[in-house]
Structure formats: C-alpha cells, structure tokens
Amino acid sequence: VEEAFSLTSKVMTVSFHKYASGFFPGSGAVEHVGLSRGKFYSVNVPLQDGIKDAEFSSIFFRVMKMVKEKFSPEAIVLQCGADGLSEDHMASFNLTQVGLAKCVCFMLAWGLPTLLLGGG
C-alpha cells in the first residue's frame, strides 16, 4: 500500500509494524518517507517484538495526533491486521482485541469518513 502511494501528497500512509531483516515484506524502514511529491507522506513506525496494549496505544495516539495536525485528512482507511494479536501464529506482538479497539475508537472519534479493513 505504501509503495502504491509513495509518489503522491494526496494520500498519507502510516504503518505500525514489525520491521526486521528477513521479515516479509521487507519494507517499512523509518527512513522510507515517500518519493518526489510524496516525500514525507509515508510514515513508518517499526515496533519491537512483544509490545503490549499500553505501549502500542501510547505510540499510536501520539503519532496519529501529529498526523492529524500536519496532514488534516479528509477520510481514513484503517487496516486492522490480526497479526499483532497475541494469539496470532506470528507471535510478534502481544496485543489484545481490546487494545486494538481503543485505537479504532480513537480514530472514529475524529468524525471523518472511515473505512475499516481486516488484514494480517
């Protein structure tokens, strides 16, 4: 998704994810910020294994608050991947459905048109 919009300033992508050498898909370094007109419209937040709800939501709230202030989105597409949940076979993160739901509620409170997608 990031690559698809890397050249435009009309869409900002923000990704909270595991980033490690050899880990699929191999993209998402903090230095990947977009290209050309899209430079600084890609935000990558690589996270360490084992992150829990409190730490994840704290980072999510701070980053997304800054995104809202700087980018002023008109709509949101929120992909809620299950691969961060503690029961997932990847077992990278230690998040719960409640923790992820708090992040979704934070975004819904913005009152913008929002599309929720699954994934992971």
PDB file of all heavy atoms in Angstrom, residues 85-115:
ATOM      1  N   LEU A  85      -2.074  -9.513  17.170  1.00  0.00           N
ATOM      2  CA  LEU A  85      -2.721 -10.084  18.354  1.00  0.00           C
ATOM      3  C   LEU A  85      -1.863 -11.183  18.967  1.00  0.00           C
ATOM      4  O   LEU A  85      -1.174 -11.924  18.274  1.00  0.00           O
ATOM      5  CB  LEU A  85      -4.101 -10.628  17.993  1.00  0.00           C
ATOM      6  CG  LEU A  85      -5.111  -9.592  17.520  1.00  0.00           C
ATOM      7  CD1 LEU A  85      -6.386 -10.271  17.051  1.00  0.00           C
ATOM      8  CD2 LEU A  85      -5.403  -8.576  18.609  1.00  0.00           C
ATOM      9  N   SER A  86      -1.937 -11.300  20.264  1.00  0.00           N
ATOM     10  CA  SER A  86      -1.096 -12.262  20.979  1.00  0.00           C
ATOM     11  C   SER A  86      -1.368 -13.703  20.564  1.00  0.00           C
ATOM     12  O   SER A  86      -0.485 -14.550  20.673  1.00  0.00           O
ATOM     13  CB  SER A  86      -1.270 -12.105  22.490  1.00  0.00           C
ATOM     14  OG  SER A  86      -2.612 -12.310  22.860  1.00  0.00           O
ATOM     15  N   GLU A  87      -2.561 -14.011  20.058  1.00  0.00           N
ATOM     16  CA  GLU A  87      -2.891 -15.380  19.667  1.00  0.00           C
ATOM     17  C   GLU A  87      -2.444 -15.714  18.239  1.00  0.00           C
ATOM     18  O   GLU A  87      -2.561 -16.856  17.809  1.00  0.00           O
ATOM     19  CB  GLU A  87      -4.409 -15.632  19.764  1.00  0.00           C
ATOM     20  CG  GLU A  87      -4.965 -15.493  21.163  1.00  0.00           C
ATOM     21  CD  GLU A  87      -5.417 -14.065  21.468  1.00  0.00           C
ATOM     22  OE1 GLU A  87      -5.561 -13.236  20.539  1.00  0.00           O
ATOM     23  OE2 GLU A  87      -5.595 -13.760  22.654  1.00  0.00           O
ATOM     24  N   ASP A  88      -1.931 -14.725  17.485  1.00  0.00           N
ATOM     25  CA  ASP A  88      -1.544 -14.966  16.107  1.00  0.00           C
ATOM     26  C   ASP A  88      -0.315 -15.870  16.044  1.00  0.00           C
ATOM     27  O   ASP A  88       0.555 -15.827  16.912  1.00  0.00           O
ATOM     28  CB  ASP A  88      -1.242 -13.637  15.410  1.00  0.00           C
ATOM     29  CG  ASP A  88      -1.001 -13.815  13.934  1.00  0.00           C
ATOM     30  OD1 ASP A  88      -1.990 -13.981  13.200  1.00  0.00           O
ATOM     31  OD2 ASP A  88       0.174 -13.806  13.524  1.00  0.00           O
ATOM     32  N   HIS A  89      -0.240 -16.674  14.999  1.00  0.00           N
ATOM     33  CA  HIS A  89       0.865 -17.616  14.849  1.00  0.00           C
ATOM     34  C   HIS A  89       2.215 -16.920  14.671  1.00  0.00           C
ATOM     35  O   HIS A  89       3.248 -17.522  14.966  1.00  0.00           O
ATOM     36  CB  HIS A  89       0.602 -18.557  13.669  1.00  0.00           C
ATOM     37  CG  HIS A  89      -0.589 -19.432  13.886  1.00  0.00           C
ATOM     38  ND1 HIS A  89      -0.604 -20.434  14.836  1.00  0.00           N
ATOM     39  CD2 HIS A  89      -1.804 -19.443  13.299  1.00  0.00           C
ATOM     40  CE1 HIS A  89      -1.787 -21.032  14.815  1.00  0.00           C
ATOM     41  NE2 HIS A  89      -2.536 -20.448  13.892  1.00  0.00           N
ATOM     42  N   MET A  90       2.212 -15.684  14.191  1.00  0.00           N
ATOM     43  CA  MET A  90       3.470 -14.950  14.041  1.00  0.00           C
ATOM     44  C   MET A  90       4.047 -14.614  15.419  1.00  0.00           C
ATOM     45  O   MET A  90       5.244 -14.513  15.575  1.00  0.00           O
ATOM     46  CB  MET A  90       3.262 -13.669  13.242  1.00  0.00           C
ATOM     47  CG  MET A  90       2.791 -13.895  11.810  1.00  0.00           C
ATOM     48  SD  MET A  90       3.931 -14.867  10.828  1.00  0.00           S
ATOM     49  CE  MET A  90       5.268 -13.726  10.659  1.00  0.00           C
ATOM     50  N   ALA A  91       3.172 -14.409  16.385  1.00  0.00           N
ATOM     51  CA  ALA A  91       3.551 -14.167  17.787  1.00  0.00           C
ATOM     52  C   ALA A  91       4.609 -13.080  17.953  1.00  0.00           C
ATOM     53  O   ALA A  91       5.456 -13.167  18.820  1.00  0.00           O
ATOM     54  CB  ALA A  91       3.997 -15.471  18.441  1.00  0.00           C
ATOM     55  N   SER A  92       4.534 -12.042  17.133  1.00  0.00           N
ATOM     56  CA  SER A  92       5.497 -10.951  17.250  1.00  0.00           C
ATOM     57  C   SER A  92       5.102  -9.961  18.337  1.00  0.00           C
ATOM     58  O   SER A  92       5.931  -9.536  19.131  1.00  0.00           O
ATOM     59  CB  SER A  92       5.622 -10.211  15.919  1.00  0.00           C
ATOM     60  OG  SER A  92       6.165 -11.051  14.952  1.00  0.00           O
ATOM     61  N   PHE A  93       3.838  -9.602  18.355  1.00  0.00           N
ATOM     62  CA  PHE A  93       3.352  -8.628  19.314  1.00  0.00           C
ATOM     63  C   PHE A  93       2.460  -9.325  20.331  1.00  0.00           C
ATOM     64  O   PHE A  93       2.071 -10.469  20.152  1.00  0.00           O
ATOM     65  CB  PHE A  93       2.577  -7.510  18.623  1.00  0.00           C
ATOM     66  CG  PHE A  93       3.393  -6.730  17.621  1.00  0.00           C
ATOM     67  CD1 PHE A  93       2.774  -6.068  16.589  1.00  0.00           C
ATOM     68  CD2 PHE A  93       4.765  -6.647  17.709  1.00  0.00           C
ATOM     69  CE1 PHE A  93       3.504  -5.345  15.663  1.00  0.00           C
ATOM     70  CE2 PHE A  93       5.510  -5.930  16.793  1.00  0.00           C
ATOM     71  CZ  PHE A  93       4.874  -5.277  15.760  1.00  0.00           C
ATOM     72  N   ASN A  94       2.134  -8.611  21.377  1.00  0.00           N
ATOM     73  CA  ASN A  94       1.318  -9.170  22.451  1.00  0.00           C
ATOM     74  C   ASN A  94       0.108  -8.267  22.685  1.00  0.00           C
ATOM     75  O   ASN A  94      -0.145  -7.832  23.798  1.00  0.00           O
ATOM     76  CB  ASN A  94       2.168  -9.320  23.710  1.00  0.00           C
ATOM     77  CG  ASN A  94       1.553 -10.258  24.716  1.00  0.00           C
ATOM     78  OD1 ASN A  94       0.725 -11.086  24.370  1.00  0.00           O
ATOM     79  ND2 ASN A  94       1.948 -10.114  25.964  1.00  0.00           N
ATOM     80  N   LEU A  95      -0.628  -7.985  21.602  1.00  0.00           N
ATOM     81  CA  LEU A  95      -1.774  -7.081  21.680  1.00  0.00           C
ATOM     82  C   LEU A  95      -3.065  -7.870  21.865  1.00  0.00           C
ATOM     83  O   LEU A  95      -3.152  -9.032  21.485  1.00  0.00           O
ATOM     84  CB  LEU A  95      -1.861  -6.245  20.404  1.00  0.00           C
ATOM     85  CG  LEU A  95      -0.606  -5.457  20.030  1.00  0.00           C
ATOM     86  CD1 LEU A  95      -0.797  -4.751  18.704  1.00  0.00           C
ATOM     87  CD2 LEU A  95      -0.234  -4.473  21.128  1.00  0.00           C
ATOM     88  N   THR A  96      -4.059  -7.200  22.424  1.00  0.00           N
ATOM     89  CA  THR A  96      -5.376  -7.805  22.595  1.00  0.00           C
ATOM     90  C   THR A  96      -6.381  -7.088  21.708  1.00  0.00           C
ATOM     91  O   THR A  96      -6.124  -5.987  21.215  1.00  0.00           O
ATOM     92  CB  THR A  96      -5.856  -7.710  24.057  1.00  0.00           C
ATOM     93  OG1 THR A  96      -6.122  -6.323  24.357  1.00  0.00           O
ATOM     94  CG2 THR A  96      -4.832  -8.282  25.036  1.00  0.00           C
ATOM     95  N   GLN A  97      -7.538  -7.708  21.538  1.00  0.00           N
ATOM     96  CA  GLN A  97      -8.608  -7.081  20.765  1.00  0.00           C
ATOM     97  C   GLN A  97      -9.031  -5.767  21.422  1.00  0.00           C
ATOM     98  O   GLN A  97      -9.372  -4.803  20.735  1.00  0.00           O
ATOM     99  CB  GLN A  97      -9.816  -8.020  20.643  1.00  0.00           C
ATOM    100  CG  GLN A  97      -9.562  -9.254  19.836  1.00  0.00           C
ATOM    101  CD  GLN A  97      -9.043 -10.440  20.667  1.00  0.00           C
ATOM    102  OE1 GLN A  97      -8.458 -10.288  21.729  1.00  0.00           O
ATOM    103  NE2 GLN A  97      -9.239 -11.640  20.161  1.00  0.00           N
ATOM    104  N   VAL A  98      -9.011  -5.728  22.741  1.00  0.00           N
ATOM    105  CA  VAL A  98      -9.397  -4.512  23.472  1.00  0.00           C
ATOM    106  C   VAL A  98      -8.421  -3.378  23.163  1.00  0.00           C
ATOM    107  O   VAL A  98      -8.820  -2.238  22.919  1.00  0.00           O
ATOM    108  CB  VAL A  98      -9.472  -4.783  24.989  1.00  0.00           C
ATOM    109  CG1 VAL A  98      -9.686  -3.503  25.767  1.00  0.00           C
ATOM    110  CG2 VAL A  98     -10.576  -5.782  25.294  1.00  0.00           C
ATOM    111  N   GLY A  99      -7.138  -3.701  23.160  1.00  0.00           N
ATOM    112  CA  GLY A  99      -6.127  -2.679  22.865  1.00  0.00           C
ATOM    113  C   GLY A  99      -6.268  -2.126  21.463  1.00  0.00           C
ATOM    114  O   GLY A  99      -6.197  -0.910  21.247  1.00  0.00           O
ATOM    115  N   LEU A 100      -6.486  -3.008  20.487  1.00  0.00           N
ATOM    116  CA  LEU A 100      -6.674  -2.542  19.117  1.00  0.00           C
ATOM    117  C   LEU A 100      -7.975  -1.758  18.972  1.00  0.00           C
ATOM    118  O   LEU A 100      -8.033  -0.769  18.241  1.00  0.00           O
ATOM    119  CB  LEU A 100      -6.646  -3.720  18.146  1.00  0.00           C
ATOM    120  CG  LEU A 100      -5.283  -4.383  17.946  1.00  0.00           C
ATOM    121  CD1 LEU A 100      -5.396  -5.556  16.982  1.00  0.00           C
ATOM    122  CD2 LEU A 100      -4.246  -3.395  17.462  1.00  0.00           C
ATOM    123  N   ALA A 101      -9.013  -2.178  19.683  1.00  0.00           N
ATOM    124  CA  ALA A 101     -10.296  -1.466  19.625  1.00  0.00           C
ATOM    125  C   ALA A 101     -10.155  -0.039  20.155  1.00  0.00           C
ATOM    126  O   ALA A 101     -10.793   0.881  19.630  1.00  0.00           O
ATOM    127  CB  ALA A 101     -11.355  -2.230  20.422  1.00  0.00           C
ATOM    128  N   LYS A 102      -9.308   0.177  21.146  1.00  0.00           N
ATOM    129  CA  LYS A 102      -9.081   1.540  21.655  1.00  0.00           C
ATOM    130  C   LYS A 102      -8.489   2.429  20.565  1.00  0.00           C
ATOM    131  O   LYS A 102      -8.855   3.602  20.444  1.00  0.00           O
ATOM    132  CB  LYS A 102      -8.161   1.511  22.875  1.00  0.00           C
ATOM    133  CG  LYS A 102      -8.831   0.990  24.113  1.00  0.00           C
ATOM    134  CD  LYS A 102      -7.886   1.011  25.305  1.00  0.00           C
ATOM    135  CE  LYS A 102      -8.564   0.418  26.533  1.00  0.00           C
ATOM    136  NZ  LYS A 102      -7.687   0.401  27.695  1.00  0.00           N
ATOM    137  N   CYS A 103      -7.606   1.860  19.765  1.00  0.00           N
ATOM    138  CA  CYS A 103      -7.016   2.624  18.665  1.00  0.00           C
ATOM    139  C   CYS A 103      -8.064   2.944  17.603  1.00  0.00           C
ATOM    140  O   CYS A 103      -8.103   4.060  17.078  1.00  0.00           O
ATOM    141  CB  CYS A 103      -5.846   1.853  18.069  1.00  0.00           C
ATOM    142  SG  CYS A 103      -4.455   1.663  19.213  1.00  0.00           S
ATOM    143  N   VAL A 104      -8.924   1.977  17.299  1.00  0.00           N
ATOM    144  CA  VAL A 104     -10.002   2.204  16.334  1.00  0.00           C
ATOM    145  C   VAL A 104     -10.942   3.292  16.857  1.00  0.00           C
ATOM    146  O   VAL A 104     -11.314   4.213  16.122  1.00  0.00           O
ATOM    147  CB  VAL A 104     -10.772   0.904  16.036  1.00  0.00           C
ATOM    148  CG1 VAL A 104     -12.016   1.184  15.194  1.00  0.00           C
ATOM    149  CG2 VAL A 104      -9.875  -0.107  15.329  1.00  0.00           C
ATOM    150  N   CYS A 105     -11.316   3.220  18.112  1.00  0.00           N
ATOM    151  CA  CYS A 105     -12.202   4.240  18.702  1.00  0.00           C
ATOM    152  C   CYS A 105     -11.564   5.625  18.660  1.00  0.00           C
ATOM    153  O   CYS A 105     -12.258   6.623  18.413  1.00  0.00           O
ATOM    154  CB  CYS A 105     -12.562   3.856  20.132  1.00  0.00           C
ATOM    155  SG  CYS A 105     -13.693   2.453  20.233  1.00  0.00           S
ATOM    156  N   PHE A 106     -10.262   5.694  18.887  1.00  0.00           N
ATOM    157  CA  PHE A 106      -9.534   6.960  18.810  1.00  0.00           C
ATOM    158  C   PHE A 106      -9.698   7.566  17.414  1.00  0.00           C
ATOM    159  O   PHE A 106      -9.963   8.764  17.269  1.00  0.00           O
ATOM    160  CB  PHE A 106      -8.052   6.720  19.125  1.00  0.00           C
ATOM    161  CG  PHE A 106      -7.191   7.944  19.023  1.00  0.00           C
ATOM    162  CD1 PHE A 106      -7.176   8.894  20.025  1.00  0.00           C
ATOM    163  CD2 PHE A 106      -6.365   8.131  17.919  1.00  0.00           C
ATOM    164  CE1 PHE A 106      -6.370  10.021  19.928  1.00  0.00           C
ATOM    165  CE2 PHE A 106      -5.560   9.252  17.807  1.00  0.00           C
ATOM    166  CZ  PHE A 106      -5.558  10.202  18.816  1.00  0.00           C
ATOM    167  N   MET A 107      -9.573   6.735  16.384  1.00  0.00           N
ATOM    168  CA  MET A 107      -9.696   7.217  15.012  1.00  0.00           C
ATOM    169  C   MET A 107     -11.142   7.578  14.679  1.00  0.00           C
ATOM    170  O   MET A 107     -11.395   8.596  14.030  1.00  0.00           O
ATOM    171  CB  MET A 107      -9.172   6.167  14.032  1.00  0.00           C
ATOM    172  CG  MET A 107      -7.692   5.839  14.210  1.00  0.00           C
ATOM    173  SD  MET A 107      -6.606   7.268  14.115  1.00  0.00           S
ATOM    174  CE  MET A 107      -6.842   7.759  12.424  1.00  0.00           C
ATOM    175  N   LEU A 108     -12.092   6.775  15.116  1.00  0.00           N
ATOM    176  CA  LEU A 108     -13.506   7.068  14.844  1.00  0.00           C
ATOM    177  C   LEU A 108     -13.940   8.378  15.495  1.00  0.00           C
ATOM    178  O   LEU A 108     -14.815   9.071  14.970  1.00  0.00           O
ATOM    179  CB  LEU A 108     -14.383   5.913  15.317  1.00  0.00           C
ATOM    180  CG  LEU A 108     -14.238   4.604  14.541  1.00  0.00           C
ATOM    181  CD1 LEU A 108     -15.062   3.501  15.209  1.00  0.00           C
ATOM    182  CD2 LEU A 108     -14.633   4.786  13.085  1.00  0.00           C
ATOM    183  N   ALA A 109     -13.320   8.729  16.609  1.00  0.00           N
ATOM    184  CA  ALA A 109     -13.660   9.973  17.310  1.00  0.00           C
ATOM    185  C   ALA A 109     -13.308  11.211  16.487  1.00  0.00           C
ATOM    186  O   ALA A 109     -13.804  12.301  16.772  1.00  0.00           O
ATOM    187  CB  ALA A 109     -12.962  10.017  18.669  1.00  0.00           C
ATOM    188  N   TRP A 110     -12.507  11.054  15.456  1.00  0.00           N
ATOM    189  CA  TRP A 110     -12.179  12.187  14.597  1.00  0.00           C
ATOM    190  C   TRP A 110     -13.378  12.620  13.778  1.00  0.00           C
ATOM    191  O   TRP A 110     -13.414  13.721  13.241  1.00  0.00           O
ATOM    192  CB  TRP A 110     -11.032  11.846  13.652  1.00  0.00           C
ATOM    193  CG  TRP A 110      -9.696  11.677  14.317  1.00  0.00           C
ATOM    194  CD1 TRP A 110      -9.428  11.645  15.662  1.00  0.00           C
ATOM    195  CD2 TRP A 110      -8.445  11.517  13.663  1.00  0.00           C
ATOM    196  NE1 TRP A 110      -8.094  11.454  15.871  1.00  0.00           N
ATOM    197  CE2 TRP A 110      -7.460  11.390  14.665  1.00  0.00           C
ATOM    198  CE3 TRP A 110      -8.059  11.467  12.332  1.00  0.00           C
ATOM    199  CZ2 TRP A 110      -6.111  11.217  14.365  1.00  0.00           C
ATOM    200  CZ3 TRP A 110      -6.712  11.299  12.029  1.00  0.00           C
ATOM    201  CH2 TRP A 110      -5.759  11.171  13.045  1.00  0.00           C
ATOM    202  N   GLY A 111     -14.385  11.752  13.655  1.00  0.00           N
ATOM    203  CA  GLY A 111     -15.606  12.096  12.929  1.00  0.00           C
ATOM    204  C   GLY A 111     -15.432  12.196  11.427  1.00  0.00           C
ATOM    205  O   GLY A 111     -16.219  12.877  10.758  1.00  0.00           O
ATOM    206  N   LEU A 112     -14.436  11.531  10.886  1.00  0.00           N
ATOM    207  CA  LEU A 112     -14.202  11.538   9.439  1.00  0.00           C
ATOM    208  C   LEU A 112     -14.763  10.274   8.807  1.00  0.00           C
ATOM    209  O   LEU A 112     -14.886   9.249   9.481  1.00  0.00           O
ATOM    210  CB  LEU A 112     -12.687  11.619   9.165  1.00  0.00           C
ATOM    211  CG  LEU A 112     -11.985  12.868   9.666  1.00  0.00           C
ATOM    212  CD1 LEU A 112     -10.472  12.728   9.494  1.00  0.00           C
ATOM    213  CD2 LEU A 112     -12.497  14.097   8.926  1.00  0.00           C
ATOM    214  N   PRO A 113     -15.078  10.320   7.519  1.00  0.00           N
ATOM    215  CA  PRO A 113     -15.464   9.080   6.844  1.00  0.00           C
ATOM    216  C   PRO A 113     -14.351   8.059   7.016  1.00  0.00           C
ATOM    217  O   PRO A 113     -13.177   8.369   6.773  1.00  0.00           O
ATOM    218  CB  PRO A 113     -15.615   9.495   5.378  1.00  0.00           C
ATOM    219  CG  PRO A 113     -15.816  10.986   5.411  1.00  0.00           C
ATOM    220  CD  PRO A 113     -15.068  11.473   6.615  1.00  0.00           C
ATOM    221  N   THR A 114     -14.700   6.868   7.460  1.00  0.00           N
ATOM    222  CA  THR A 114     -13.702   5.861   7.795  1.00  0.00           C
ATOM    223  C   THR A 114     -14.098   4.506   7.217  1.00  0.00           C
ATOM    224  O   THR A 114     -15.235   4.077   7.366  1.00  0.00           O
ATOM    225  CB  THR A 114     -13.544   5.730   9.330  1.00  0.00           C
ATOM    226  OG1 THR A 114     -13.181   7.023   9.858  1.00  0.00           O
ATOM    227  CG2 THR A 114     -12.459   4.727   9.704  1.00  0.00           C
ATOM    228  N   LEU A 115     -13.127   3.865   6.581  1.00  0.00           N
ATOM    229  CA  LEU A 115     -13.294   2.519   6.064  1.00  0.00           C
ATOM    230  C   LEU A 115     -12.396   1.600   6.873  1.00  0.00           C
ATOM    231  O   LEU A 115     -11.185   1.848   6.955  1.00  0.00           O
ATOM    232  CB  LEU A 115     -12.912   2.459   4.580  1.00  0.00           C
ATOM    233  CG  LEU A 115     -12.918   1.094   3.912  1.00  0.00           C
ATOM    234  CD1 LEU A 115     -14.330   0.494   3.922  1.00  0.00           C
ATOM    235  CD2 LEU A 115     -12.374   1.201   2.495  1.00  0.00           C
TER     236      LEU A 115
END
